[in-house]
Amino acid sequence: MKLFRLRKINLKELITYNFWVKLISLILAISVWLYVSSEITKGVKV
Amino acid sequence: MFLRFLNLKTVFEIIILWIVIYRVVVSLQGTKGAYLIRGVIVLITSYFIFQKLGLTVLSWLLTNFFAFYLIIIVVIFQPELREALIKLGQRHIFYKGLGKEEIEKILREIVSAVSILSMKKTGALIALKREMGLNDYIESGVLINADLTSELLQNIFHPLAPLHDGGLIIDGAKIVAASCLFPHSESLNLEKTLGMRHRSGIGLSEHSDALVIIVSEENGHVSLAINGQLTGDLTPQDLLTILKGQLSK
């Protein structure tokens, strides 16, 4: 029971700790991926 | 449009990119490099907006300026980039920090020094680095890079020692620098009775994720600043318990 509680808290902290930095990093990662993959697709078409 | 590409490989690529970007942003927080990240975000956002609006001249200018920007980044942030590459070589990519036993050993040394300093009413300001970089503050002080021991901590904060003024920074099992300048807290909610040492401790904890221990030279009281919040009048046992809890996260 104790172990289960400990895990629950850690998961919550994993998400909430530095939340905004994590969110901005995810947005940046998706933007970079979209840009690079579109550039690669362009290259293949040419 | 994005959903069209969504598959397991894409998700894996994005997660890897996310981890790399997150690690870079976290290690640059609290340093000059934070402005670099802001600059990159502004440039990328502007580029997408210009592309969407069909502003070809501005897009062209931005694309060409971006190449210059990369060169400027390498020149200006050469020391930070060098340090990051060295760290990448030294540590595992998914480096999580010290082991439990190592943390306990370090904390015992710190708490032992703090309780002696408190008994002698010797002022002290000790910052424990966590994820965020403290390079700007380290550069403001005197580099030490010595193994952490209770005796060395007491020696540094001895009132007649040349490095006793200012803050001391600990990174893992090393005393990185002493006599460092920490930013003062600008919070209006602080007690008027708090001195400059406490304000500096709270200030650093507001600007970074560091844990800051403050020993008052007036009454020997031990306080701990975390995320801009000050917990005062701690016993050595309280301090050890809180630090253990914070560092084992």
Side-chain angles (χ1 to χ4, degrees):
Chain A
M1 190 66 189
K2 221 176 182 181
L3 261 174
F4 177 69
R5 266 189 191 170
L6 203 70
R7 276 189 177 180
K8 206 175 167 187
I9 291 167
N10 284 343
L11 185 68
K12 192 187 162 194
E13 274 171 5
L14 193 75
I15 297 163
T16 54
Y17 183 71
N18 264 348
F19 176 75
W20 289 109
V21 179
K22 280 175 187 160
L23 187 68
I24 289 168
S25 306
L26 179 63
I27 293 167
L28 261 175
I30 294 172
S31 312
V32 169
W33 190 89
L34 280 174
Y35 176 75
V36 174
S37 79
S38 74
E39 287 296 307
I40 292 167
T41 322
K42 262 188 218 169
V44 169
K45 276 178 189 170
V46 169
Chain B
M1 180 200 141
F2 179 63
L3 288 174
R4 195 154 52 91
F5 295 107
L6 206 62
N7 57 40
L8 209 63
K9 246 195 244 175
T10 310
V11 172
F12 182 69
E13 280 181 330
I14 290 172
I15 288 173
I16 296 290
L17 265 176
W18 184 20
I19 292 169
V20 172
I21 292 172
Y22 175 72
R23 299 298 312 178
V24 170
V25 172
V26 165
S27 65
L28 288 177
Q29 267 183 327
T31 68
K32 279 180 279 186
Y35 300 108
L36 178 148
I37 296 289
R38 275 188 222 167
V40 171
I41 291 171
V42 168
L43 282 179
I44 290 175
T45 316
S46 310
Y47 178 78
F48 278 113
I49 292 169
F50 294 156
Q51 283 274 313
K52 279 277 161 212
L53 295 176
L55 304 171
T56 45
V57 174
L58 287 177
S59 297
W60 185 90
L61 278 172
L62 210 63
T63 314
N64 286 283
F65 176 71
F66 199 75
F68 278 114
Y69 189 75
L70 287 177
I71 298 166
I72 293 166
I73 284 171
V74 173
V75 174
I76 296 175
F77 295 98
Q78 189 255 340
E80 281 85 357
L81 289 171
R82 187 179 55 197
E83 197 187 323
L85 285 172
I86 291 169
K87 273 186 186 168
L88 194 69
Q90 280 176 342
R91 293 174 176 178
H92 196 264
I93 291 172
F94 295 103
Y95 176 80
K96 282 289 284 177
L98 299 161
K100 206 177 168 186
E101 280 176 24
E102 219 170 351
I103 290 175
E104 278 194 20
K105 193 182 159 219
I106 294 164
L107 292 183
R108 270 199 304 273
E109 294 288 334
I110 296 170
V111 173
S112 151
V114 166
S115 44
I116 293 168
L117 291 167
S118 161
M119 269 192 299
K120 291 180 179 170
K121 292 187 182 171
T122 304
L125 182 60
I126 302 168
L128 274 72
K129 180 185 167 285
R130 288 204 277 186
E131 276 196 65
M132 285 187 202
L134 298 175
N135 287 355
D136 284 357
Y137 310 111
I138 291 169
E139 282 167 15
S140 70
V142 177
L143 278 177
I144 293 179
N145 268 329
D147 287 340
L148 171 69
T149 61
S150 168
E151 291 77 15
L152 184 56
L153 280 175
Q154 292 169 54
N155 209 317
I156 290 170
F157 286 110
H158 189 279
L160 295 177
L163 300 180
H164 83 279
D165 254 341
L168 177 139
I169 297 176
I170 293 171
D171 184 2
K174 292 268 181 200
I175 296 177
V176 184
S179 210
C180 302
L181 296 174
F182 292 168
H184 292 293
S185 171
E186 282 160 22
S187 170
L188 300 170
N189 304 322
L190 297 178
E191 281 179 42
K192 301 279 180 229
T193 51
L194 287 178
M196 295 313 274
R197 186 174 284 120
H198 284 83
R199 286 177 188 275
S200 300
I202 299 166
L204 183 68
S205 74
E206 283 169 354
H207 286 84
S208 71
D209 67 345
L211 304 170
V212 191
I213 305 163
I214 309 126
V215 182
S216 165
E217 62 182 342
E218 278 175 35
N219 48 30
H221 286 177
V222 178
S223 312
L224 180 66
I226 307 169
N227 298 327
Q229 298 293 318
L230 189 75
T231 315
D233 214 0
L234 296 166
T235 63
Q237 192 53 49
D238 291 339
L239 183 66
L240 188 65
T241 313
I242 299 174
L243 290 177
K244 256 189 204 172
Q246 288 291 328
L247 291 174
S248 54
K249 273 179 186 174

